């Protein structure tokens, strides 16, 4: 009897805790943006108990489905088709990071390769983003590189692209090094990278990427970083975001083949990008806005209606 009561209490605590965490994260998503959504999604991807609780509660399923397409490739394809039908491009993100087991890193690689094949078979407009820590970077650089090469090679066979996500600041140099290794040493031109405007170093990184004619996703940044490394105040991050956008949309960048994805839900940043494009006489089809699945859907639809390109990141 006591055992049953304790089990029931633990179950209730798990349910309440999960509801609280999900609800709190959703509040912070709307107030503070991508960092909190990332934390929520990673929590759900790593916690089988939380997923079980959510799967058994219709209301919680609805909450989770607002931000995550599902757990199967069929669900991912269905979500992608729906977004495509509304004129939106898609980037699919197979959740997971900080893998420390080689077998799990290889399993993630295989799932992503299968996802690339499903995109091709379904005929949908989508590419895939990957995190190097999910592919084994925390174990050894060569493991992540080997897995990434398999992914990029399959994407090239399917005439598709792969975006390497940027993670915390301590991984920036290694991420950029692996990106350049895949592109320059192995000759894959179907790979892009992400730059975060809250890092002081990003202006220098962007200047180099412009020289190289890179395919760049610019975002504000979603990891907690110390003030010695990143701007601690939002207005400074915003100012740098606008500066980097201007650099990446410059005549030199465009001549070198740079293609920019402006990843933000901040209307001030969107307006600033539109003003830069008008001033430089850049066609709306020569760059794209990018937003997260389930966030600011009305704004997404508004941009499409105005003739802008929009890509939705779908976990």
């Amino acid at each position: 009897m006591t055992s049953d009561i304790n089990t029931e209490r633990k179950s209730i605590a798990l349910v309440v805790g999960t509801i609280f965490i999900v609800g709190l994260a959703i509040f912070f998503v709307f107030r503070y943006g991508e960092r909190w959504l990332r934390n929520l999604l990673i929590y759900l991807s790593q916690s089988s108990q939380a997923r079980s609780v959510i799967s058994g509660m219709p209301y919680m399923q609805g909450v989770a489905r607002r931000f995550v397409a599902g757990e199967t490739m069929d669900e991912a394809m269905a979500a992608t088709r729906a977004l495509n039908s509304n004129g939106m491009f898609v980037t699919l993100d197979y959740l997971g990071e900080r893998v420390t087991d080689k077998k799990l890193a290889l399993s993630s690689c295989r799932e992503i390769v299968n996802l690339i094949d499903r995109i091709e078979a379904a005929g949908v407009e989508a590419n895939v983003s990957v995190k190097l820590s999910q592919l084994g970077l925390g174990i050894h650089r060569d493991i992540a590189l080997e897995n990434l090469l398999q992914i990029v090679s399959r994407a090239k066979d399917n005439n598709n692209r792969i975006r390497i996500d940027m993670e915390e600041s301590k991984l920036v140099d290694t991420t950029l090094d692996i990106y350049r290794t895949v592109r320059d040493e192995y000759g894959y031109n179907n790979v892009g990278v992400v730059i975060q405007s809250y890092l002081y170093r990003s202006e220098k990184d962007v200047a180099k990427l412009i020289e190289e004619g890179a395919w760049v996703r610019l975002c504000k940044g979603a990891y907690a970083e110390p003030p010695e490394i990143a701007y601690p105040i939002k207005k400074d991050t915003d100012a740098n975001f606008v500066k980097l956008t201007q650099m990446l949309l410059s005549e030199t960048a465009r001549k070198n083949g740079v293609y920019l994805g402006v990843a933000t839900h901040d209307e001030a940043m969107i307006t600033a990008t539109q003003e830069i494009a008008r001033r430089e006489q850049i066609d709306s089809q020569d760059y794209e806005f990018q937003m997260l699945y389930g966030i600011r859907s009305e704004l997404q639809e508004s941009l499409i209606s105005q003739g802008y390109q929009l890509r939705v990141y779908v976990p």
Side-chain angles (χ1 to χ4, degrees), residues 226-256:
E228 296 79 20
I229 293 173
Y231 294 106
I233 301 174
K234 179 181 182 296
K235 69 179 181 65
D236 294 329
T237 297
D238 289 354
N240 201 42
F241 189 98
V242 174
K243 183 177 186 178
L244 298 179
T245 299
Q246 191 158 359
M247 291 173 64
L248 289 160
L249 289 177
S250 68
E251 183 177 0
T252 299
R254 286 178 281 125
K255 283 182 177 179
N256 289 348

Side-chain angles (χ1 to χ4, degrees), residues 79-216:
T80 300
R81 285 193 192 92
L83 291 165
N84 285 171
S85 69
N86 288 328
M88 301 173 186
F89 304 142
V90 170
T91 290
L92 291 167
D93 184 1
Y94 179 65
L95 287 173
E97 57 186 83
R98 299 187 181 93
V99 170
T100 56
D101 179 84
K102 186 176 180 179
K103 290 182 180 179
L104 184 55
L106 181 58
S107 175
S108 295
C109 173
R110 289 171 178 161
E111 286 293 324
I112 294 168
V113 168
N114 289 338
L115 181 58
I116 294 166
D117 286 341
R118 284 297 303 272
I119 290 170
E120 176 70 12
V124 294
E125 204 303 318
N127 56 39
V128 178
S129 69
V130 300
K131 294 177 179 63
L132 293 182
S133 71
Q134 182 181 21
L135 300 179
L137 185 60
I139 308 167
H140 195 280
R141 175 189 182 277
D142 291 347
I143 293 174
L145 175 59
E146 182 179 349
N147 286 331
L148 179 62
L149 285 170
Q150 290 185 50
I151 291 167
V152 173
S153 176
R154 182 59 60 87
K156 187 172 184 178
D157 290 342
N158 291 349
N159 195 30
N160 208 330
R161 285 178 160 187
I162 298 297
R163 175 92 67 187
I164 303 173
D165 279 342
M166 192 60 72
E167 301 179 70
E168 58 261 44
S169 60
K170 68 180 181 180
L171 298 181
V172 173
D173 282 323
T174 306
T175 299
L176 290 173
D177 174 62
I178 290 177
Y179 157 72
R180 291 184 172 110
T181 297
V182 170
R183 191 197 59 190
D184 299 333
E185 293 184 23
Y186 288 88
Y188 289 104
N189 59 3
N190 62 322
V191 61
V193 74
V194 177
I195 291 293
Q196 302 167 115
S197 73
Y198 70 165
L199 296 179
Y200 300 138
R201 62 171 291 166
S202 291
E203 182 177 351
K204 183 177 179 181
D205 289 331
V206 163
K208 180 65 174 173
L209 290 167
I210 288 173
E211 289 179 14
E212 299 166 347
W215 177 45
V216 179

Side-chain angles (χ1 to χ4, degrees), residues 271-282:
T271 298
T273 301
Q274 293 168 329
E275 290 175 352
I276 292 168
R278 280 194 291 268
R279 186 167 63 247
E280 298 293 329
Q281 297 183 325
I282 302 170

